[in-house]
Amino acid sequence: MRSTVFSVLLAAASCLAEPTIFPANKATNVNPDTHLILTFPSPPKIGTSGLIRIYDAADKKLVDTLDMSISPSPNPSGRAPNANGQTKQPGPADPNDNSKYQVTMIAGVDFHFFPIIVRNNTATVYPHHGALKYGHSYTVKMDPTVLTPAAGAFSGFTTDTAWTFTTKAASPTNSSRIVVAADGSGDFNTVQGAIDFVPSSSSKRITIFIKNGFYEELVYMKGKNNIIIRGESRDKVIVGYPNNSAFNPPKSGPSRRPAFTITQCKSVQLSSFTINNYFVGQAEALLVRGEKVVLDHMTLSGSGDAFTTYGSIYFADSKLTGHGDTVLGYGAVFYLRSEIHSIGPFTWTRTPAGQHGNVFVNSSLISINEPLPWTVTEARPTGQDSKSTFARLPRNGGPTGVSNFPNAEMVLINVKTSGVPPEGWGPIQSAPFDTSNVHFWEYNTMDLDGKPVDMSKRHPVSKQLKLPTDGKTIADYSNPKFVLGWEPVIVGP
Ligand SMILES: *[C@@H]1O[C@H](CO)[C@@H](O)[C@H](O)[C@H]1NC(C)=O
Ligand SMILES: *[C@@H]1O[C@H](CO)[C@@H](O)[C@H](O)[C@H]1NC(C)=O
Ligand SMILES: *[C@@H]1O[C@H](CO)[C@@H](O)[C@H](O)[C@H]1NC(C)=O
Ligand SMILES: CC(=O)N[C@H]1CO[C@H](CO)[C@@H](O)[C@@H]1O
């Protein structure tokens, strides 16, 4: 009897798979940076045909179209073809990329993007960036082929009334504290929406407060000053995107592969949230190109150059996880009380002349004992291991070493380590490359229990600092102002 009732219910459920939608039909006061979110009773599959169209309800003008027959990118899986799992050389981007693949413009930069991302039972539709405006009513239409639930049918949105909503009349008036909430209860639904809103140059400090939630979006912040981006809690505010050098191959202009970019910015603080890049291989979580950038209680996770640095950065009480060259370091960065977990080398240190480099104080460098994930293929299930050295400085281009980084600097003071090979450093390009100005220095390197490690087999280019001889050097490099040229101040909540 019971099983009969159950099968009848199942039969009914299998023909009704209509999603719940956000914004709800007839919703008002919607932020124009909203995504369109459909939650099904079972995981939907993304179609390869059909259109999503958004019309201005007042004049029926089409304001945005997403065509599911267009591939998101030349390499939508984040893997380049015929590269044995590598993403390194996807080749120069096809100049016609922008007509062949999905493209959205963020702060003047053309990114390939996913028009729909499915996580569990939820499909998030990404209108083109900036397509919706304040003070308008919109109608969403969606062909049934756009999404196919695992069970049952989806009939799409095909009428003028099934999915309409109205945006807020105007942008927020109080611009000193802006709230981002994925559920639509804040000033913006997306981090990028809030970043777009803040002025380029602000004499007063602006706080962008992100409420707990999952923010799957590309974030590109260019030319902004005096901003704090603070999460409600470090583990429950998750900002990220699947993106890498295969998905957004190199072309002229800025690198488009990080999940989160901060570029040409000054006096920016990121506090208490997580940034992930969900792709594998050449997939930066965060790229910073700026001065006086502070990261405090942050969690970053990427894969290959996970944290790419230019300028000057204070990195405190934070955690970074990556898969080799985990820090691609052109910047002066003072890491304090932080943890780096890495498959393969912790850094590729590329300090330019005239500035300091990667300085780690009271921090931990922990090797993850796994093969580089993109080298694990069906043909080679064990993949390729890579040593977790502190810094590498291999031949980097021309045969004479001119394109290498003779001023590379990485200094470890009171750093706990695990899984680091006995040589500690390298590979380092050999003569005629001049290593006399390379500062690969360490003082009081320990294991995770705080016991000194054996440094007798360290790379000859590296140096072990000792007391009392190196007392001044150790004191200088323990001082963030010496390393960065400015005194970091963390602004509290
Ligand atoms: C998907 O479901 C898993 C398992 O319930 C959960 O851990 C995860 O957070 C969900 N993902 C999202 C984006 O909601
Ligand atoms: C703007 O927000 C800040 C921080 O919440 C508050 O101190 C200030 O009074 C607000 N200003 C106005 C004009 O509402
Ligand atoms: C590092 O830790 C030592 C020992 O706890 C402490 O004395 C020192 O002030 C710390 N350094 C910094 C820069 O906080
Ligand atoms: C949303 C998305 O496309 N995620 C993909 C990210 O990359 C991994 C590995 O390449 C895939 O397994 C995910 O499906």
Side-chain angles (χ1 to χ4, degrees):
M1 179 65 188
R2 191 175 249 191
S3 71
T4 315
V5 171
F6 188 61
S7 22
V8 169
L9 282 175
L10 255 187
S14 70
C15 50
L16 291 170
E18 298 306 332
T20 58
I21 53 174
F22 174 90
N25 189 28
K26 301 193 173 69
T28 56
N29 237 17
V30 172
N31 292 317
D33 64 333
T34 192
H35 300 144
L36 309 177
I37 303 171
L38 301 90
T39 303
F40 290 86
S42 60
K45 256 180 82 174
I46 299 173
T48 52
S49 71
L51 301 178
I52 300 163
R53 281 170 293 191
I54 305 175
Y55 296 88
D56 193 315
D59 56 10
K60 307 240 180 324
K61 213 178 124 205
L62 183 63
V63 299
D64 199 20
T65 303
L66 296 165
D67 180 345
M68 300 311 295
S69 69
I70 299 174
S71 175
S73 141
N75 300 297
S77 70
R79 314 265 23 118
N82 310 319
N84 190 25
Q86 295 282 348
T87 52
K88 254 193 202 154
Q89 302 294 341
D94 181 335
N96 299 317
D97 259 6
N98 287 3
S99 55
K100 289 197 209 153
Y101 305 109
Q102 302 283 356
V103 171
T104 199
M105 298 296 294
I106 307 176
V109 179
D110 52 340
F111 288 92
H112 294 309
F113 77 114
F114 292 101
I116 303 183
I117 294 179
V118 168
R119 299 282 179 200
N120 299 336
N121 293 358
T122 297
T124 300
V125 174
Y126 295 76
H128 285 93
H129 186 64
L132 308 185
K133 310 291 179 205
Y134 286 103
H136 285 255
S137 293
Y138 294 103
T139 301
V140 179
K141 292 194 179 174
M142 198 177 287
D143 293 329
T145 51
V146 165
L147 287 162
T148 309
F154 168 53
S155 45
F157 290 88
T158 52
T159 70
D160 285 344
T161 54
W163 195 354
T164 67
F165 60 89
T166 302
T167 55
K168 283 180 182 165
S171 56
T173 48
N174 187 349
S175 59
S176 66
R177 187 174 185 273
I178 299 159
V179 177
V180 178
D183 66 3
S185 62
D187 298 312
F188 293 94
N189 293 23
T190 63
V191 179
Q192 186 66 43
I195 287 172
D196 291 343
F197 172 68
V198 303
S200 293
S201 186
S202 175
S203 51
K204 66 171 185 186
R205 182 184 296 138
I206 295 173
T207 298
I208 295 174
F209 180 78
I210 312 173
K211 284 197 171 171
N212 289 346
F214 187 68
Y215 298 85
E216 188 151 25
E217 52 172 310
L218 274 167
V219 179
Y220 188 79
M221 179 159 95
K222 181 180 171 190
K224 308 271 166 141
N225 301 326
N226 225 353
I227 293 180
I228 297 174
I229 305 180
R230 182 185 303 287
E232 181 177 359
S233 68
R234 182 169 170 180
D235 297 331
K236 294 199 180 111
V237 174
I238 300 172
V239 183
Y241 201 71
N243 191 20
N244 67 359
S245 63
F247 188 77
N248 264 303
K251 51 183 160 179
S252 65
S255 168
R256 292 155 175 84
R257 57 201 199 196
F260 200 121
T261 299
I262 294 176
T263 186
Q264 293 157 256
C265 291
K266 198 174 167 189
S267 301
V268 172
Q269 177 179 324
L270 307 186
S271 285
S272 302
F273 64 99
T274 293
I275 300 176
N276 291 331
N277 193 323
Y278 303 107
F279 267 155
V280 156
Q282 204 59 81
E284 291 93 330
L286 176 65
L287 179 147
V288 174
R289 190 187 286 273
E291 299 298 332
K292 300 197 179 179
V293 175
V294 170
L295 277 78
D296 142 63
H297 290 92
M298 291 291 292
T299 301
L300 311 179
S301 177
S303 176
D305 304 345
F307 182 37
T308 300
T309 69
Y310 299 85
S312 61
I313 303 164
Y314 182 67
F315 188 100
D317 301 296
S318 293
K319 179 178 172 183
L320 165 65
T321 304
H323 305 153
D325 297 341
T326 293
V327 173
L328 182 64
Y330 295 88
V333 188
F334 191 86
Y335 296 84
L336 182 64
R337 295 182 303 266
S338 289
E339 276 177 36
I340 318 289
H341 296 243
S342 182
I343 299 177
F346 291 97
T347 76
W348 188 340
T349 290
R350 293 178 162 185
T351 320
Q355 61 160 74
H356 289 293
N358 294 313
V359 177
F360 290 82
V361 178
N362 297 354
S363 291
S364 304
L365 298 176
I366 297 167
S367 167
I368 305 170
N369 186 19
E370 286 172 21
L372 296 166
W374 57 87
T375 66
V376 178
T377 58
E378 247 173 72
R380 187 162 62 151
T382 52
Q384 181 199 324
D385 286 330
S386 176
K387 285 185 182 181
S388 292
T389 50
F390 298 130
R392 64 193 197 99
L393 198 56
R395 178 193 293 274
N396 190 39
T400 58
V402 283
S403 64
N404 208 332
F405 296 87
N407 300 92
E409 180 175 86
M410 177 155 168
V411 180
L412 313 181
I413 295 173
N414 301 334
V415 167
K416 292 185 173 172
T417 62
S418 155
V420 173
E423 71 272 26
W425 306 84
I428 300 171
Q429 186 179 352
S430 48
F433 177 58
D434 177 7
T435 57
S436 59
N437 289 316
V438 169
H439 294 176
F440 285 170
W441 297 345
E442 56 191 306
Y443 170 70
N444 191 28
T445 303
M446 298 166 270
D447 65 15
L448 293 183
D449 298 326
K451 298 202 186 77
V453 301
D454 175 7
M455 299 211 255
S456 62
K457 299 200 174 62
R458 283 298 196 243
H459 193 290
V461 167
S462 73
K463 178 171 137 185
Q464 290 74 57
L465 302 175
K466 290 187 181 67
L467 286 176
T469 335
D470 301 305
K472 180 168 184 330
T473 305
I474 294 165
D476 281 346
Y477 280 89
S478 299
N479 175 2
K481 192 169 179 197
F482 172 85
V483 174
L484 303 173
W486 45 277
E487 189 77 63
V489 177
I490 292 179
V491 181

Coordinates of all heavy atoms in Angstrom, one line a residue, residues 3 6 89 145 167 236 267 280 286 307 340-341 406 429 481:
S3 N 4.0 1.5 -0.7 CA 4.8 1.6 -1.9 C 4.0 2.1 -3.1 O 4.5 2.8 -4.0 CB 5.5 0.3 -2.2 OG 4.6 -0.6 -2.7
F6 N 3.7 5.8 -2.7 CA 5.0 6.4 -3.1 C 5.2 6.4 -4.6 O 5.6 7.5 -5.1 CB 6.1 5.5 -2.4 CG 7.4 6.1 -2.5 CD1 7.7 7.3 -1.9 CD2 8.5 5.4 -3.1 CE1 9.0 7.9 -2.0 CE2 9.7 6.0 -3.2 CZ 10.0 7.2 -2.6
Q89 N 50.0 26.2 -22.3 CA 50.1 26.9 -23.6 C 48.8 26.7 -24.4 O 48.8 26.0 -25.4 CB 51.3 26.2 -24.4 CG 52.6 26.3 -23.7 CD 53.1 27.7 -23.6 OE1 52.7 28.6 -24.3 NE2 54.0 28.0 -22.7
T145 N 14.6 24.3 -23.8 CA 15.9 23.6 -24.1 C 17.0 24.1 -23.3 O 18.1 23.5 -23.3 CB 16.2 23.6 -25.6 OG1 16.2 25.0 -26.0 CG2 15.3 22.8 -26.4
T167 N 13.2 46.5 -10.9 CA 14.4 46.9 -10.1 C 14.2 48.1 -9.2 O 13.2 48.8 -9.4 CB 15.6 47.2 -11.0 OG1 15.2 48.2 -12.0 CG2 16.0 45.9 -11.8
K236 N 32.0 31.5 5.6 CA 30.7 31.5 5.0 C 30.4 32.5 4.0 O 29.4 32.6 3.4 CB 29.6 31.6 6.2 CG 29.6 30.4 7.1 CD 28.4 30.4 7.9 CE 28.4 29.2 8.9 NZ 28.5 29.6 10.3
S267 N 45.4 51.4 -1.1 CA 44.7 51.4 0.2 C 43.4 50.6 0.1 O 42.3 51.1 0.3 CB 44.4 52.8 0.6 OG 45.6 53.5 0.7
V280 N 41.5 24.0 -12.3 CA 42.8 23.4 -12.0 C 43.8 23.8 -13.0 O 43.5 23.7 -14.2 CB 42.6 21.9 -11.9 CG1 43.9 21.1 -12.2 CG2 42.0 21.4 -10.6
L286 N 43.6 35.0 -6.6 CA 43.7 36.5 -6.4 C 44.9 37.0 -7.1 O 46.0 36.5 -6.8 CB 43.7 36.8 -4.9 CG 43.8 38.3 -4.6 CD1 42.6 39.1 -5.1 CD2 44.0 38.5 -3.1
F307 N 48.2 33.0 -5.9 CA 48.2 34.3 -5.4 C 49.3 35.0 -6.2 O 50.5 34.7 -6.0 CB 48.5 34.4 -3.9 CG 48.6 35.7 -3.2 CD1 47.7 36.7 -3.6 CD2 49.5 36.0 -2.2 CE1 47.7 38.0 -3.0 CE2 49.5 37.2 -1.6 CZ 48.6 38.2 -2.0
I340 N 50.7 28.8 4.3 CA 50.7 28.5 2.8 C 50.7 27.0 2.7 O 51.6 26.3 3.2 CB 51.9 29.1 2.0 CG1 52.2 30.5 2.5 CG2 51.6 29.0 0.5 CD1 51.2 31.6 2.1
H341 N 49.8 26.4 2.0 CA 49.7 25.0 1.7 C 49.9 24.8 0.2 O 49.2 25.4 -0.6 CB 48.4 24.4 2.1 CG 48.1 24.4 3.6 ND1 48.0 23.3 4.4 CD2 48.0 25.5 4.4 CE1 47.8 23.7 5.7 NE2 47.8 25.0 5.7
P406 N 67.6 38.7 -10.8 CA 68.8 38.6 -10.0 C 68.6 39.2 -8.6 O 69.5 39.1 -7.7 CB 69.9 39.4 -10.8 CG 69.1 40.2 -11.7 CD 67.8 39.5 -12.0
Q429 N 68.8 29.1 -11.4 CA 69.6 29.1 -12.6 C 71.1 29.3 -12.2 O 71.5 30.1 -11.4 CB 69.2 30.3 -13.5 CG 69.9 30.3 -14.8 CD 69.5 31.4 -15.8 OE1 68.6 32.2 -15.5 NE2 70.2 31.6 -16.9
K481 N 57.2 47.6 8.1 CA 57.5 48.9 7.5 C 58.8 48.9 6.7 O 58.9 49.5 5.6 CB 57.6 50.0 8.6 CG 57.6 51.4 7.9 CD 57.4 52.5 8.9 CE 57.4 53.8 8.2 NZ 57.6 54.9 9.1

